[in-house]
Amino acid sequence: MKTLSFSAMTALAAALSVPASAIAQTETPAAAPTAEPAPAPKLTGNVTLTTNYKFRGQDQDQIGRNDGTFKTSGFKPAIQGGFDYAFGDSGFYVGNWNSSVNWLKGNSIESDIYGGYKFKAGVLDLDVGMWSYLYPGNTAGNTVEFYGSVGYTSEVAGTFKAKYSGTVSDDYFNYAGNKAGSGLKGAGTGYLNLTYSKEVVTRLTLNAGVGYTFMSPDIRSLGYTNYLDYSVGLAYDLGSGLSVQGMVQGANHEGSYEVTGTDGKTLSPNKPRFIAAITKVL
């Protein structure tokens, strides 16, 4: 995400090729090399079809915290997509990502807006920014976080990354019920995520991750515990920006998040699922 100047030898050869009479007739200094244009901004897009959308180990298609209705099937397809806009080589970027969801009454879409700055520190890749999770049909779920990550890539060992996100909005995905007047806060909730990826054979990549959610004191007072989530799977590059993935995702402390539906059935969004997805990068 470098430019070259004119060679001194080229300039000297050009000067020597000018007739002496021409040199005598002008005192104009040689023109400075023209600067190369800055790298152009880059816009990329993506679209995904998935059999289930989990976020931090939890299903995003059940309304358990609102009216007690949900699907018990592990097949809960979602369509997702967005774009990223990089400002040349400056390191700054903005983006938008969207997904169909069904966990918040009156809302069927998650629309995220984010921006940040990526830079290098020796062999480390650093990234800091802000992420807003928005639910247009029911703003009670809106959540804003600041994040920072550090990554390291080795051709032999693969890529390691650690990321921490901290909630700065009044609530954390409506867990505290702040907008409904509970008087409780979700601010201060944190999430630590460790990931690893490695191409095991040509075009086939192993992806694994583990995360830990630190709920705010107010959310814990409602009986929700801190919990650990996990993900492991494989992705295969089909070429031309198309890839397929298969993974297992879930979380512990299922009982702390279990809900009972109007039909008397119980379900935990932390339950492990096998998820298949296909993605196209545009």
Side-chain angles (χ1 to χ4, degrees):
M1 284 176 120
K2 237 167 169 181
T3 64
L4 301 174
S5 60
F6 289 113
S7 166
M9 289 296 293
T10 303
L12 178 59
L16 292 176
S17 67
V18 178
S21 59
I23 296 176
Q25 292 171 9
T26 178
E27 297 294 328
T28 304
T34 302
E36 280 193 21
K42 185 178 181 181
L43 178 67
T44 57
N46 60 85
V47 61
T48 296
L49 293 175
T50 180
T51 60
N52 191 310
Y53 171 28
K54 272 187 176 289
F55 175 73
R56 297 177 181 173
Q58 298 188 320
D59 293 344
Q60 298 298 293
D61 53 7
Q62 49 83 34
I63 313 178
R65 296 206 304 276
N66 291 274
D67 65 5
T69 62
F70 47 77
K71 297 178 182 178
T72 56
S73 168
F75 180 69
K76 307 168 185 178
I79 182 169
Q80 306 171 333
F83 68 88
D84 293 279
Y85 186 83
F87 294 85
D89 281 345
S90 69
F92 290 100
Y93 64 89
V94 294
N96 165 251
W97 186 84
N98 311 276
S99 179
S100 56
V101 294
N102 185 29
W103 66 267
L104 192 61
K105 188 175 182 180
N107 180 77
S108 61
I109 186 171
E110 172 187 331
S111 185
D112 302 348
I113 298 174
Y114 54 88
Y117 176 60
K118 295 181 179 180
F119 58 102
K120 298 280 290 188
V123 298
L124 301 179
D125 298 302
L126 304 180
D127 184 7
V128 293
M130 183 181 75
W131 199 295
S132 297
Y133 303 85
L134 305 175
Y135 301 88
N138 189 337
T139 59
N142 290 1
T143 301
V144 179
E145 297 179 333
F146 282 101
Y147 61 85
S149 73
V150 55
Y152 171 74
T153 299
S154 163
E155 291 186 7
V156 175
T159 298
F160 302 84
K161 184 178 179 180
K163 180 178 180 179
Y164 184 80
S165 303
T167 302
V168 295
S169 51
D170 287 338
D171 209 342
Y172 176 77
F173 301 104
N174 198 36
Y175 268 108
N178 179 269
K179 200 157 189 178
S182 69
L184 302 178
K185 297 279 189 177
T189 296
Y191 180 68
L192 176 64
N193 185 224
L194 307 176
T195 60
Y196 170 74
S197 63
K198 166 70 175 173
E199 187 176 55
V200 290
V201 297
T202 302
R203 295 193 173 190
L204 184 66
T205 300
L206 168 68
N207 297 302
V210 62
Y212 194 80
T213 299
F214 306 83
M215 289 296 191
S216 72
D218 282 357
I219 292 177
R220 292 200 305 274
S221 74
L222 297 174
Y224 297 109
T225 62
N226 297 339
Y227 71 93
L228 180 145
D229 68 86
Y230 51 86
S231 174
V232 61
L234 294 169
Y236 186 75
D237 182 4
L238 298 171
S240 301
L242 190 66
S243 64
V244 292
Q245 307 92 39
M247 68 209 83
V248 174
Q249 294 184 353
N252 68 350
H253 291 303
E254 293 182 31
S256 295
Y257 293 89
E258 195 171 67
V259 292
T260 301
T262 53
D263 58 1
K265 295 180 180 180
T266 59
L267 173 73
S268 174
N270 294 24
K271 182 178 180 178
R273 308 280 192 192
F274 174 77
I275 300 172
I278 182 168
T279 297
K280 171 67 176 179
V281 176
L282 309 172

